[in-house]
Amino acid sequence: MTTSTAPIAARTATTATSKRALALPALLFLLIFIFPFVAGPHYVILMFSAMGYAIALLGLNLLFGYTGLLSLGHAMFLAIGAYTAGYMTSTRITNFELILLVAVAIGATVAVPIGLLCIRYVKIYFAMLTLAFSMLLYSFLFKFYHLTGGDEGIRIKVPSLTAWDLSGLDTLSVLTGPLYYYVFALLVLLTALMRCLTSSSLGLQLRAIRENQQKAEYLGVNVKRYRLVAFVIAAVYGVLGGVIIAIPVGLADPSSPIGFNRGISSSCCCSAATPIFWAHYWAQSYSFSFRISSCLSPNIGGSPLVSSS
């Protein structure tokens, strides 16, 4: 009798734990949803930007927290998203859905060749190589003034939505109303998608690569392929976050998107929405911070600095 009831008790405990794990994100999503009703317009716009950072960080967590690859150049994908929004709105293409699709296409296209080079390395070498690509883009944005606007950047107009007519609303009403809830729905959708990815065989194999690359290879895991997939997915989340972060600012310039690396610890923390944002982020990327030391230290875990796969 004891033997037959043990699996049932284990399943019940697992279900209860799963429900508790989902309760906090659900509560945080509810708080974000009602935030425009309880906060002033300034704080709502800060929350708007915080949702963009949350999306970008979900992608970065897949690359770092699950795959074990610390990218110091993730800001380049936020820059790609921001400048895509700037270029398209300056040419009178203001449809928000179209801007997101074009940004995703460009971000994935850029991520593939960069990823193919970077995933050959691990630990601090991967981090510094991604940082080098980020600084290369940073220099490009500054030097090619006629293409990028240099340090002045490119103006970003408030985008339009397919489902809503925003012609009768001013900029503040759009950012704190229809566009806010559109971004909120996008955050919920992308969070659910990320949860599905990390709970699938993809997430399991990424964790296996993170824990022990050589054992994963012995089990038949194609390490390079899965690292590249994680890199591209992180880039897609990054460009989506870049588009969203740049819209309230109304400007795509080198100092804003490239500041994402320090923005993880400073820019987001300056917003009044910090508790909600960071609680949501921690719930989704709980494995993010405790991997820092193992990724940067060459000797922890005994794994090679350069991938042999």
Side-chain angles (χ1 to χ4, degrees), residues 131-154:
L131 178 61
F133 277 108
S134 180
M135 296 310 298
L136 181 64
L137 177 61
Y138 182 68
S139 299
F140 174 84
L141 296 177
F142 259 119
K143 299 299 182 181
F144 290 83
Y145 185 88
H146 297 290
L147 292 176
T148 64
D151 56 347
E152 296 181 3
I154 301 176

Side-chain angles (χ1 to χ4, degrees), residues 29 116 145 171 189 214 236 285 292:
F29 281 134
L116 285 172
Y145 185 88
T171 300
L189 177 63
Q214 292 180 343
V236 168
S285 43
I292 293 179

Side-chain angles (χ1 to χ4, degrees), residues 8-24 195:
I8 298 176
R11 286 195 297 269
T12 304
T14 303
T15 303
T17 303
S18 178
K19 289 181 178 179
R20 286 195 298 269
L22 292 174
L24 180 58
R195 180 176 176 82

Side-chain angles (χ1 to χ4, degrees), residues 25-217:
L27 177 61
L28 292 171
F29 281 134
L30 177 61
L31 291 175
I32 295 173
F33 181 82
I34 66 174
F35 196 73
F37 298 100
V38 298
H42 172 69
Y43 300 106
V44 175
I45 292 177
L46 290 176
M47 178 61 81
F48 189 103
S49 300
M51 288 191 289
Y53 277 109
I55 291 173
L57 286 167
L58 285 173
L60 183 59
N61 180 62
L62 180 70
L63 185 62
F64 183 26
Y66 283 88
T67 316
L69 297 175
L70 175 60
S71 173
L72 297 180
H74 203 64
M76 69 178 128
F77 298 113
L78 277 84
I80 289 172
Y83 274 85
T84 300
Y87 275 114
M88 294 189 68
T89 56
S90 64
T91 57
R92 299 184 180 180
I93 302 175
T94 59
N95 185 269
F96 190 50
E97 294 87 350
L98 183 58
I99 293 173
L100 293 177
L101 290 175
V102 173
V104 166
I106 296 175
T109 303
V110 173
V112 170
I114 294 177
L116 285 172
L117 177 62
C118 292
I119 61 172
R120 297 176 61 248
Y121 303 89
V122 293
K123 296 185 182 292
I124 190 63
Y125 296 96
F126 176 87
M128 297 308 296
L129 191 56
T130 55
L131 178 61
F133 277 108
S134 180
M135 296 310 298
L136 181 64
L137 177 61
Y138 182 68
S139 299
F140 174 84
L141 296 177
F142 259 119
K143 299 299 182 181
F144 290 83
Y145 185 88
H146 297 290
L147 292 176
T148 64
D151 56 347
E152 296 181 3
I154 301 176
R155 297 287 300 175
I156 300 176
K157 299 178 181 178
V158 177
S160 60
L161 298 174
T162 303
W164 282 285
D165 182 14
L166 307 179
S167 57
L169 300 176
D170 57 20
T171 300
L172 186 61
S173 299
V174 172
L175 292 177
T176 59
L179 199 58
Y180 176 92
Y181 285 105
Y182 192 97
V183 172
F184 170 74
L186 189 63
L187 173 62
V188 174
L189 177 63
L190 292 174
T191 303
L193 177 60
M194 183 59 70
R195 180 176 176 82
C196 292
L197 290 174
T198 55
S199 302
S200 66
S201 60
L202 172 64
L204 181 62
Q205 295 187 70
L206 291 179
R207 288 193 291 271
I209 294 171
R210 179 195 68 193
E211 296 299 332
N212 195 310
Q213 173 190 324
Q214 292 180 343
K215 288 183 179 179
E217 290 174 346

